[in-house]
Amino acid sequence: EKQHIHQLESQVQALKEWALASAEAKQLMQERCRILETKLKQQQGLLKEMNGEGEGDDSEKLLFTKSGSMVIGAGDTRHAVISLGEHAASVDSRFVVLRWKFDSSPPDLTIDFNIMKGKCETSSEQNRADYLIKDRVITGGAGGETEGAFNIDSACTMLWSNAKSWIRPRTVKYTVEVVSLK
């Protein structure tokens, strides 16, 4: 019995060490991702300048960005509501674009992705929603651009579903940019 307890204690210690190493690796990867995104934005700015699209080009205006992450348990769904908020009064929602990207892990497993018009926080609201993207099966991550997302309530809802999984949770990290075209 003592030997079994000692074995369990050593397994717990090994799991603690693995969790700590995993958290440190995650933090390093997030830092590297931020650095690469900054470099990409700098390069995109240089490319615009080279093409004569510098600061004088106001055909598109970044209203705001939003980032987040969530763990979605097996058999569960999670959502993120993106609202124009204070910008709703100053822009025409018909000309607002939602640019989105996300990564899910483990990267070899699938997750269903949806975008709905309006604030759809309950399952009954989600069942009645006007879907722009419905039940797109994603492996590892995705990105895209969606028009018309803010035509109802000046908001939209992104929904990730892990309902098909019986055992394994998924982690989703997302970033959205809300851009006005006028």
Side-chain angles (χ1 to χ4, degrees):
E1 187 68 29
K2 279 187 174 185
Q3 182 180 8
H4 182 67
I5 291 172
H6 182 45
Q7 182 183 12
L8 289 175
E9 286 174 343
S10 65
Q11 288 174 346
V12 166
Q13 184 61 32
L15 282 173
K16 285 181 181 178
E17 291 172 6
W18 175 82
L20 181 62
S22 178
E24 289 173 359
K26 177 182 174 183
Q27 188 175 11
L28 275 173
M29 291 306 296
Q30 288 174 331
E31 197 172 305
R32 287 181 185 156
C33 186
R34 279 191 291 273
I35 291 169
L36 288 174
E37 285 176 343
T38 302
K39 287 181 180 179
L40 177 63
K41 286 181 181 179
Q42 289 172 345
Q43 292 297 321
Q44 288 172 334
L46 289 173
L47 183 61
K48 281 185 177 182
E49 285 178 20
M50 287 173 33
N51 290 335
E53 302 173 7
E55 296 298 317
D57 180 25
D58 59 332
S59 63
E60 155 175 316
K61 177 183 174 191
L62 177 65
L63 299 177
F64 63 92
T65 61
K66 180 177 179 179
S67 297
S69 64
M70 60 185 76
V71 175
I72 306 161
D76 202 4
T77 62
R78 295 285 303 269
H79 67 274
V81 174
I82 312 298
S83 175
L84 289 181
E86 64 195 38
H87 300 286
S90 63
V91 297
D92 186 343
S93 64
R94 295 174 301 164
F95 301 107
V96 175
V97 173
L98 175 71
R99 290 190 182 133
W100 51 272
K101 64 180 174 179
F102 70 91
D103 293 312
S104 66
S105 59
D108 58 329
L109 300 178
T110 63
I111 192 162
D112 291 350
F113 176 64
N114 305 271
I115 296 179
M116 299 163 275
K117 292 181 180 179
K119 293 179 184 177
C120 303
E121 299 181 284
T122 65
S123 60
S124 64
E125 290 172 333
Q126 293 163 1
N127 289 336
R128 294 188 314 264
D130 184 4
Y131 282 81
L132 295 166
I133 296 175
K134 184 162 177 63
D135 294 332
R136 185 177 294 172
V137 179
I138 306 292
T139 303
E145 189 172 287
T146 304
E147 294 180 2
F150 297 96
N151 291 351
I152 299 176
D153 299 329
S154 297
C156 67
T157 305
M158 297 190 310
L159 174 78
W160 292 269
S161 173
N162 194 23
K164 296 175 185 171
S165 176
W166 289 15
I167 299 171
R168 304 214 29 210
R170 308 289 191 272
T171 301
V172 171
K173 290 185 257 179
Y174 68 91
T175 301
V176 296
E177 290 182 345
V178 178
V179 177
S180 174
L181 299 179
K182 281 192 166 187

